[in-house]
Amino acid sequence: LFKNDPNLAEKYGADKVMEWRRSLHGRPPPMEKDHEYYLPPPAPLTESLADCQTRVMGCFEDTIAPALFDEEGLPIPPDDRTIIVVAHANTIRSLIAYFDEVPEDQVSQIYVPNSVPILYRFERSTRKPVSTKLQSSHGGSHARWMISSENHQIVRDAVSTGGMLTRALFDAMDVTQDKALCRAEIEAGVRELMKDAEHETQSDCVVIGLAKKLARELGENETITLQEFERRTALAYEGLQCNESDFANEEPFP
């Protein structure tokens, strides 16, 4: 089952599924041995965000922090270094929870925009974030969310024919895995997008706007293939209004 499969909510309850997806300690049921992705120990059969955080912080202390603060002989001195971490959203959420010291009851409010850089500045001697905490959905955050007109160009490219975003959207909404989308599936996908986009990033607004427009225009009993989905997405994007003045080079991470 996929995370947005309605059968999950029917079987376990919507609140329980949301706890697994958003809380710090919620764990879904463990994977069975006949699951296609099963791996024997030490691979985990299930894990919470806290479990993920333990592994991620181990990687940070063993690999990322030394490269950022300590490693000698590199062209850029430690005080001027930038390390880029590219990872799954849960990995980034666990780092944010640690760096911002997010209370457990606020962890569910940590949202990570796709493909938009999030900047943390550190003091080398303390290895702690130094940027002033700004208000965010999960309390105060040292992070800065970097969005610009260039980010929006990436979205424009991603929703073009053959773009990564349209394929990802199609696959996520195709819960029946029949390689076709009906109106109900798109509407259900919009509801999931809106749950995960309460931080209102510009990229998310564009995606949600596109999906809503497609749902409105699709007939009650009509289905569309990926090729038609890509064509309609590209046309829908052209109808969305967005000016470069809507963006700032650096804004508080929501």
Side-chain angles (χ1 to χ4, degrees):
L1 296 178
F2 293 83
K3 65 181 182 181
N4 59 346
D5 193 315
N7 292 328
L8 276 178
E10 291 177 8
K11 183 174 182 180
Y12 298 103
D15 290 343
K16 177 58 69 174
V17 173
M18 190 55 62
E19 177 189 342
W20 295 337
R21 293 182 58 185
R22 304 300 309 172
S23 72
L24 183 62
H25 292 290
R27 286 194 188 101
M31 189 183 299
E32 302 289 345
K33 286 188 176 182
D34 59 355
H35 194 283
E36 61 177 316
Y37 295 124
Y38 172 84
L39 291 173
L45 300 182
T46 182
E47 67 174 7
S48 64
L49 185 64
D51 298 325
C52 174
Q53 186 181 63
T54 298
R55 293 189 292 104
V56 171
M57 293 314 302
C59 176
F60 180 83
E61 296 296 340
D62 294 342
T63 304
I64 300 172
L68 183 59
F69 303 118
D70 301 328
E71 195 169 348
E72 302 292 341
L74 297 179
I76 300 174
D79 288 340
D80 298 326
R81 280 179 195 162
T82 298
I83 301 295
I84 298 176
V85 177
V86 182
H88 189 277
N90 259 9
T91 302
I92 304 300
R93 288 181 69 225
S94 67
L95 287 170
I96 290 173
Y98 180 82
F99 294 142
D100 289 339
E101 299 178 321
V102 180
E104 183 175 339
D105 63 352
Q106 293 292 311
V107 167
S108 63
Q109 300 304 310
I110 301 174
Y111 293 93
V112 178
N114 290 328
S115 306
V116 176
I118 304 167
L119 176 67
Y120 278 88
R121 293 186 175 93
F122 292 87
E123 168 59 48
R124 186 185 180 196
S125 61
T126 64
R127 303 194 176 193
K128 298 289 187 181
V130 295
S131 298
T132 302
K133 271 195 172 185
L134 301 173
Q135 187 59 36
S136 71
S137 60
H138 58 266
S141 178
H142 296 287
R144 299 296 183 268
W145 166 35
M146 309 286 289
I147 189 161
S148 66
S149 56
E150 287 79 9
N151 297 131
H152 197 260
Q153 178 61 49
I154 292 172
V155 176
R156 180 181 292 115
D157 293 342
V159 300
S160 62
T161 300
M164 294 176 63
L165 183 55
T166 47
R167 181 56 185 262
L169 265 178
F170 187 93
D171 289 344
M173 292 178 176
D174 185 19
V175 295
T176 59
Q177 301 295 291
D178 61 355
K179 302 187 185 304
L181 290 180
C182 65
R183 182 174 178 176
E185 285 179 309
I186 297 178
E187 289 175 343
V190 169
R191 288 192 292 271
E192 288 298 317
L193 286 170
M194 293 181 73
K195 287 179 186 177
D196 285 345
E198 293 173 10
H199 53 301
E200 292 295 334
T201 70
Q202 183 66 38
S203 295
D204 291 325
C205 291
V206 171
V207 173
I208 291 171
L210 290 173
K212 283 183 175 180
K213 194 170 191 299
L214 288 176
R216 287 195 302 267
E217 294 175 351
L218 200 62
E220 191 69 32
N221 300 313
E222 185 181 3
T223 61
I224 54 174
T225 63
L226 172 61
Q227 183 178 9
E228 179 64 11
F229 183 78
E230 287 182 322
R231 187 187 72 81
R232 294 194 187 194
T233 301
L235 290 175
Y237 182 86
E238 294 302 318
L240 293 177
Q241 298 299 314
C242 185
N243 301 315
E244 290 191 8
S245 60
D246 294 335
F247 299 94
N249 287 330
E250 182 177 90
E251 291 292 338
F253 180 70

